[in-house]
Amino acid sequence: MLKAISDYSENEKLLLVLQGCDYATYEANDDIKKFNRYQNNQIDGFSERTLQDMEILVMLKDLGFPMHELGTYLYKDLISEICEVLKKLSDRRDDINVCRELLGKLNDAYSSFYHAIGREWKELGISSFHLYIIDALESIDYDSVDQELSSKINGNDFYDISYGTQAFMLAAYALKKYSFSDAEYKKPLLKKLNNGPKPREYW
């Protein structure tokens, strides 16, 4: 559950530091402020990357993601980084290998891709990074999902995929690389990464 850093007690702040999510929480709170401005069309001073991030947050909100969970903002960061990789592709045949390699990294919980975002950028442990995303995924409100949007992203034959693969699909859709048309909505069946951390209750 996210709240402004100033609203935390001294004990809560200490716990955040010990868990390694102090900086990640600070950045998520900053994203919330930007998102509120974006929704009110107050985008003066927003960079192209910030606008992209806000559009990703709109997409996640429309897919039922909880906007009060740190994991939603970490997932946004993951999707945004994938977008940066995909932007460099030129639709050549060689790019297929780049996408395969990226998907391999996205399905390996301890890959260099997750290390760069979680550990180096967000100053979180890799396991914590994934657990916050899992918390957000488990809190999706499927009653509020924009079914048309979900169908365009997932198509008719949606199958059980990892949230790493789903992040790739969301990035590709955000960049208008693909879209399914006339697809019937089916509830997504997102699974954890095979070698990802165990749920919190087992720690």
Side-chain angles (χ1 to χ4, degrees):
M1 183 75 70
L2 277 170
K3 56 183 177 180
I5 292 291
S6 58
D7 293 337
Y8 284 94
S9 69
E10 291 305 312
N11 285 339
E12 287 174 319
K13 288 177 184 176
L14 178 61
L15 185 60
L16 285 174
V17 172
L18 292 174
Q19 290 177 335
C21 65
D22 182 45
Y23 182 69
T25 302
Y26 172 82
E27 285 223 321
N29 276 299
D30 190 49
D31 279 338
I32 290 171
K33 292 175 186 172
K34 289 176 183 172
F35 189 56
N36 288 335
R37 284 181 56 197
Y38 181 81
Q39 290 184 304
N40 291 315
N41 203 30
Q42 298 171 351
I43 58 174
D44 290 344
F46 279 14
S47 66
E48 184 179 327
R49 178 71 180 265
T50 299
L51 289 171
Q52 172 183 281
D53 286 354
M54 296 302 105
E55 289 166 10
I56 291 170
L57 284 174
V58 169
M59 181 170 58
L60 291 177
K61 182 181 180 184
D62 290 345
L63 291 174
F65 277 75
M67 303 310 288
H68 58 278
E69 290 285 345
L70 175 58
T72 297
Y73 298 89
L74 296 176
Y75 203 47
K76 178 270 297 178
D77 294 327
L78 174 63
I79 295 165
S80 184
E81 284 300 300
I82 297 169
C83 283
E84 294 308 299
V85 174
L86 295 181
K87 282 179 184 177
K88 296 174 184 172
L89 302 182
S90 57
D91 297 324
R92 295 176 305 181
R93 187 172 293 246
D94 293 344
D95 292 338
I96 293 173
N97 292 329
V98 174
C99 290
R100 282 186 184 140
E101 183 181 340
L102 177 57
L103 281 165
K105 290 178 179 178
L106 291 171
N107 285 296
D108 176 0
Y110 298 96
S111 71
S112 59
F113 201 82
Y114 288 117
H115 186 275
I117 301 170
R119 191 79 183 138
E120 295 177 17
W121 178 14
K122 294 297 177 176
E123 300 178 2
L124 283 170
I126 304 300
S127 293
S128 294
F129 179 83
H130 288 294
L131 287 169
Y132 283 116
I133 290 176
I134 290 167
D135 284 348
L137 291 168
E138 291 178 346
S139 299
I140 289 174
D141 179 5
Y142 287 102
D143 291 333
S144 68
V145 171
D146 181 332
Q147 295 186 6
E148 182 180 354
L149 173 63
S150 181
S151 299
K152 285 179 179 178
I153 294 168
N154 300 313
N156 278 323
D157 299 320
F158 191 79
Y159 49 91
D160 194 11
I161 62 171
S162 74
Y163 63 79
T165 299
Q166 178 74 88
F168 181 91
M169 294 169 67
L170 292 170
Y173 180 82
L175 294 177
K176 299 179 174 49
K177 297 268 184 195
Y178 87 98
S179 175
F180 290 100
S181 59
D182 301 322
E184 179 184 343
Y185 172 71
K186 293 185 179 179
K187 181 180 174 181
L189 301 171
L190 297 180
K191 64 180 181 181
K192 301 172 183 70
L193 306 182
N194 288 335
N195 64 338
K198 295 177 182 178
R200 291 181 192 280
E201 56 264 33
Y202 299 116
W203 279 53

